[in-house]
Amino acid sequence: MTTLSEVARLAGVTSATVSNVLRQRGKVGEQTRQRVLEAVAQLGYRPHLTARALAEGRAPTLALVVSSIANPFYPEFALAAERAARERGRFLIVCNTNDDPDTGRAYLDQIAGTLSDGVLIMNANLPMDELKKTEQRGAPVVLCMWEKPDAPPELPCIAVDFYAAGATAAQHLLGLGHRHIGALVGSKKSGIHAERYRGFVEACAAAGIKHSLQSARYIGDTVEAGYQATMTLLREEPTLTAIFASNDLPALGAMNAIADLGMNVPRDISVIGITDIQWARVSRPALTTVAVPTEEAARMSIDLLLALIEGRSPSPVMRVTATPQLVQRASTAAPRKRKG
Amino acid sequence: MTTLSEVARLAGVTSATVSNVLRQRGKVGEQTRQRVLEAVAQLGYRPHLTARALAEGRAPTLALVVSSIANPFYPEFALAAERAARERGRFLIVCNTNDDPDTGRAYLDQIAGTLSDGVLIMNANLPMDELKKTEQRGAPVVLCMWEKPDAPPELPCIAVDFYAAGATAAQHLLGLGHRHIGALVGSKKSGIHAERYRGFVEACAAAGIKHSLQSARYIGDTVEAGYQATMTLLREEPTLTAIFASNDLPALGAMNAIADLGMNVPRDISVIGITDIQWARVSRPALTTVAVPTEEAARMSIDLLLALIEGRSPSPVMRVTATPQLVQRASTAAPRKRKG
């Protein structure tokens, strides 16, 4: 592979001059600059990014730790984060923990501060003190979608008002006339979807509708879990006219279950989700959902991480995205008049 | 951050000894080894991966260049490739070209041989001579899903018999009794889906059925393109009883179009795809498809790339995956008796 000094020799300058030209630093005359660039082109020289980054005391990449890229939301977020990183001249390494905290810990140990000089954390299920240790060792950490804007964490974060998302979903169903609404919560009771469910429950209460705990199910955040839970929920609670799911995947599963039970969405049962993944648009009927500003959250996450790396931001700090918005499609309608 | 020499000082050994312990190289007595490991733990020292890799003359990551991670097949492949890479102690960087050859070229220029010491190429639409240049500069390249096992390229590749996949799809529809079959080809005429279509056409011909060119559409490899093409195809060719799509995404779009036209899959029209992405299982009706061995192709791609990097394989070389297999679900059935 061509070296810097070979370029310098051909151009008749010092290595430092070649380096200055390539980094657009220092004062170099136009003629010299041209000669260096010609030598670079002639020899096919490529500056050694990793070596250069090390020499400059920084690692060349950013890392994104996600719990599972098999969940289609994460590739959509990763795509947006990667685009934002590339626009700022950085490469993004996507690290997938497969929902295993040990794998997450191994990633932090092995790449934070060495291969990557900053880490985005997306629902990777890692203990906060583990993440703080990473930050203390000099690699900034940003939590990408913090769900409680009113309770900032001890780490930098981009917050999304998921409470509002849940409330918006409830208000939509209530506005259509629904009074008996089932809830599929795609996490444990105190898990990452708790805020969405709380927003839903409190919006119901504010409208004078008591949401019965019997109509809620805490399940996995998957199509399959939404499917199974809907099958039992509709058997045990036959008066339900709508289902609120805390995420689009269980909502899509609910729609499949309702279809397989020989019923129609939205004529017999309305379904609403949260997020607005690609498949919400593509499903039949298309899914009504409360859209999370994924693109914006990704861009804000990258910007905050770079600000921390470059010492332009204190830590901790919280920035909040735009509020999630209702996207009305074909899976919700007024409830049918009940028989008898 | 703690340095190697601080660890050496605390353990009372030379830096070389610390290095030998951490790399499990050289002869180090058990007592010394323990003392070094204790010092490492006490100081929280982490070997600098990037620096070590450079010292050993290798870059620490592998790169996967894909045309779009918004296409849900690519995250599934990336997930499998990442798992295989991690099992072999490597990190995988996912580089997304957004279908833009210039972006792909920039990735090759900037990471091949520097940040990554080998590159997997997945349908990234890059000219072959560009890829060969990358290989000549010392960074091995593997084409992940070469579609013509009978015509090996000039670069190392993992080949999938996509001709057989197309033929299998045709044989399934013909076996059900279909004689008028439309085709959605998710690439240009000479593009990456050409082999799948050729397999389909020749299997029809072998069964004495002439597939009319009028019943074929060359379209984008998306749900939306499959939807639009099916809308016009069924209007222009009302005798069709089945649709073969060269990929699952246009097949899913075809099913949506048929539903929106007020018809039923498979009662009125059967639909079959190729690949078996997650959404083929989840869609209603579930999509019959010819499954590509994604997991196996990803694993073989990583193994071949490492063999090339470590000089254990000549270049070019081709390895072929298991043959794609029919997965029969609910979107195909015998054609209805035609009226009149």
Side-chain angles (χ1 to χ4, degrees):
Chain A
M1 214 172 277
T2 308
T3 64
L4 193 74
S5 49
E6 287 174 284
V7 174
R9 207 173 309 140
L10 181 64
V13 299
T14 64
S15 294
T17 301
V18 176
S19 178
N20 280 340
V21 169
L22 293 176
R23 297 189 203 186
Q24 308 185 326
R25 284 186 192 168
K27 267 198 172 170
V28 183
E30 187 50 30
Q31 275 201 329
T32 309
R33 209 178 71 85
Q34 284 304 328
R35 223 163 51 232
V36 168
L37 292 178
E38 273 162 31
V40 165
Q42 196 176 326
L43 294 173
Y45 172 73
R46 287 170 311 145
H48 200 304
L49 271 199
T50 318
R52 190 166 86 188
L54 283 173
E56 291 173 359
R58 62 174 181 81
T61 71
L62 307 177
L64 168 64
V65 182
V66 300
S67 51
S68 168
I69 56 173
N71 178 331
F73 169 68
Y74 297 124
E76 292 185 23
F77 182 86
L79 184 68
E82 197 237 6
R83 202 180 295 132
R86 289 299 303 132
E87 282 169 18
R88 286 146 186 78
R90 298 299 196 109
F91 291 101
L92 186 74
I93 300 185
V94 179
C95 306
N96 175 51
T97 69
N98 264 326
D99 281 317
D100 174 21
D102 285 341
T103 304
R105 221 168 279 134
Y107 272 124
L108 290 180
D109 271 0
Q110 291 175 45
I111 65 175
T114 56
L115 197 57
S116 300
D117 57 6
V119 184
L120 302 180
I121 303 287
M122 172 56 99
N123 291 350
N125 204 14
L126 284 160
M128 200 62 92
D129 62 334
E130 202 76 43
L131 296 171
K132 282 174 68 180
K133 261 191 245 166
T134 300
E135 189 189 49
Q136 281 155 16
R137 287 188 314 221
V141 171
V142 169
L143 309 177
C144 293
M145 282 207 175
W146 181 253
E147 67 268 24
K148 286 177 270 188
D150 51 344
E154 294 174 65
L155 282 169
C157 74
I158 302 301
V160 177
D161 192 348
F162 280 114
Y163 176 93
T168 298
Q171 284 150 7
H172 173 64
L173 293 175
L174 295 166
L176 289 168
H178 293 276
R179 295 297 174 262
H180 297 88
I181 307 172
L184 305 178
V185 188
S187 73
K188 288 181 194 149
K189 203 161 184 173
S190 59
I192 57 168
H193 290 191
E195 281 304 299
R196 308 176 187 200
Y197 181 48
R198 198 168 66 85
F200 167 80
V201 170
E202 295 188 2
C204 287
I209 305 296
K210 187 168 160 38
H211 172 70
S212 156
L213 280 183
Q214 273 164 350
S215 307
R217 296 287 183 279
Y218 294 94
I219 61 172
D221 186 14
T222 63
V223 174
E224 186 52 35
Y227 182 92
Q228 296 298 342
T230 302
M231 284 290 186
T232 60
L233 188 60
L234 291 179
R235 200 167 49 226
E236 293 166 14
E237 305 278 329
T239 61
L240 296 177
T241 62
I243 289 179
F244 157 73
S246 65
N247 223 2
D248 288 347
L249 290 177
L252 292 165
M255 291 212 295
N256 280 352
I258 294 163
D260 286 1
L261 288 167
M263 292 190 286
N264 178 278
V265 176
R267 205 183 57 224
D268 300 308
I269 312 266
S270 287
V271 177
I272 189 168
I274 290 178
T275 305
D276 198 18
I277 60 173
Q278 191 189 349
W279 289 98
R281 272 154 270 172
V282 168
S283 76
R284 282 298 180 277
L287 181 67
T288 296
T289 188
V290 183
V292 166
T294 306
E295 184 91 24
E296 184 193 12
R299 191 165 296 276
M300 287 172 72
S301 298
I302 292 286
D303 284 344
L304 178 54
L305 186 59
L306 289 175
L308 289 158
I309 290 169
E310 293 159 12
R312 290 185 283 108
S313 168
S315 170
V317 59
M318 182 172 73
R319 296 179 185 169
V320 185
T321 68
T323 304
Q325 297 292 328
L326 179 72
V327 180
Q328 189 165 358
R329 297 204 180 94
S331 68
T332 50
R336 278 215 283 186
K337 289 272 175 281
R338 290 183 41 213
K339 300 161 211 156
Chain B
M1 214 172 275
T2 309
T3 64
L4 194 74
S5 47
E6 286 173 283
V7 174
R9 207 174 310 138
L10 182 65
V13 299
T14 64
S15 294
T17 301
V18 176
S19 178
N20 281 340
V21 170
L22 293 175
R23 297 191 203 185
Q24 309 185 327
R25 285 188 192 168
K27 266 197 172 169
V28 183
E30 185 52 27
Q31 275 199 329
T32 309
R33 207 176 73 86
Q34 283 305 328
R35 225 165 49 234
V36 168
L37 292 179
E38 274 161 31
V40 164
Q42 197 176 325
L43 295 173
Y45 172 73
R46 287 170 311 144
H48 200 306
L49 271 197
T50 319
R52 191 166 87 188
L54 282 173
E56 290 173 359
R58 61 174 181 80
T61 71
L62 308 177
L64 168 63
V65 182
V66 301
S67 51
S68 167
I69 58 172
N71 177 332
F73 170 68
Y74 296 125
E76 293 186 21
F77 183 86
L79 184 68
E82 197 238 6
R83 201 179 295 133
R86 290 299 302 132
E87 284 170 17
R88 285 147 188 79
R90 296 300 194 109
F91 292 100
L92 187 74
I93 299 184
V94 179
C95 305
N96 175 51
T97 69
N98 265 326
D99 282 317
D100 173 21
D102 284 340
T103 304
R105 222 168 277 134
Y107 272 125
L108 290 180
D109 270 0
Q110 291 175 44
I111 66 176
T114 55
L115 197 57
S116 301
D117 57 7
V119 184
L120 302 179
I121 302 288
M122 172 57 99
N123 293 349
N125 205 13
L126 285 160
M128 200 62 91
D129 62 334
E130 202 76 42
L131 296 171
K132 282 173 71 179
K133 261 192 246 166
T134 300
E135 190 189 49
Q136 282 155 15
R137 288 187 313 221
V141 171
V142 169
L143 309 177
C144 293
M145 283 207 174
W146 182 252
E147 67 268 23
K148 286 178 268 186
D150 51 344
E154 292 175 66
L155 282 168
C157 74
I158 303 301
V160 177
D161 192 346
F162 281 112
Y163 177 92
T168 297
Q171 283 151 8
H172 172 65
L173 293 175
L174 295 166
L176 289 168
H178 293 277
R179 294 296 174 264
H180 298 88
I181 308 173
L184 305 178
V185 187
S187 72
K188 289 183 193 147
K189 203 161 184 172
S190 59
I192 56 167
H193 290 190
E195 282 302 300
R196 308 175 186 200
Y197 181 49
R198 200 168 65 86
F200 168 81
V201 170
E202 294 188 1
C204 287
I209 307 295
K210 188 168 160 36
H211 172 71
S212 156
L213 280 183
Q214 272 165 348
S215 308
R217 295 289 182 277
Y218 293 94
I219 61 173
D221 186 13
T222 64
V223 174
E224 187 51 34
Y227 182 93
Q228 296 298 345
T230 301
M231 284 288 185
T232 60
L233 188 60
L234 291 179
R235 200 168 49 227
E236 292 167 14
E237 305 279 329
T239 60
L240 296 178
T241 62
I243 289 179
F244 157 74
S246 64
N247 223 2
D248 288 347
L249 290 177
L252 292 164
M255 291 212 293
N256 279 351
I258 294 163
D260 286 0
L261 288 168
M263 291 190 287
N264 178 276
V265 176
R267 205 182 58 222
D268 300 307
I269 311 267
S270 287
V271 177
I272 188 168
I274 290 178
T275 305
D276 198 16
I277 60 174
Q278 191 190 347
W279 289 97
R281 271 155 271 169
V282 168
S283 76
R284 283 296 180 277
L287 181 67
T288 298
T289 188
V290 182
V292 167
T294 305
E295 183 90 27
E296 183 193 11
R299 191 163 296 275
M300 288 172 72
S301 297
I302 292 285
D303 284 344
L304 178 55
L305 186 59
L306 289 175
L308 289 157
I309 289 169
E310 293 159 12
R312 290 184 283 107
S313 167
S315 170
V317 58
M318 181 173 73
R319 296 178 185 170
V320 185
T321 69
T323 305
Q325 297 290 327
L326 179 71
V327 179
Q328 189 166 358
R329 297 203 180 95
S331 69
T332 49
R336 278 216 285 188
K337 288 273 175 283
R338 292 187 33 220
K339 301 161 211 156

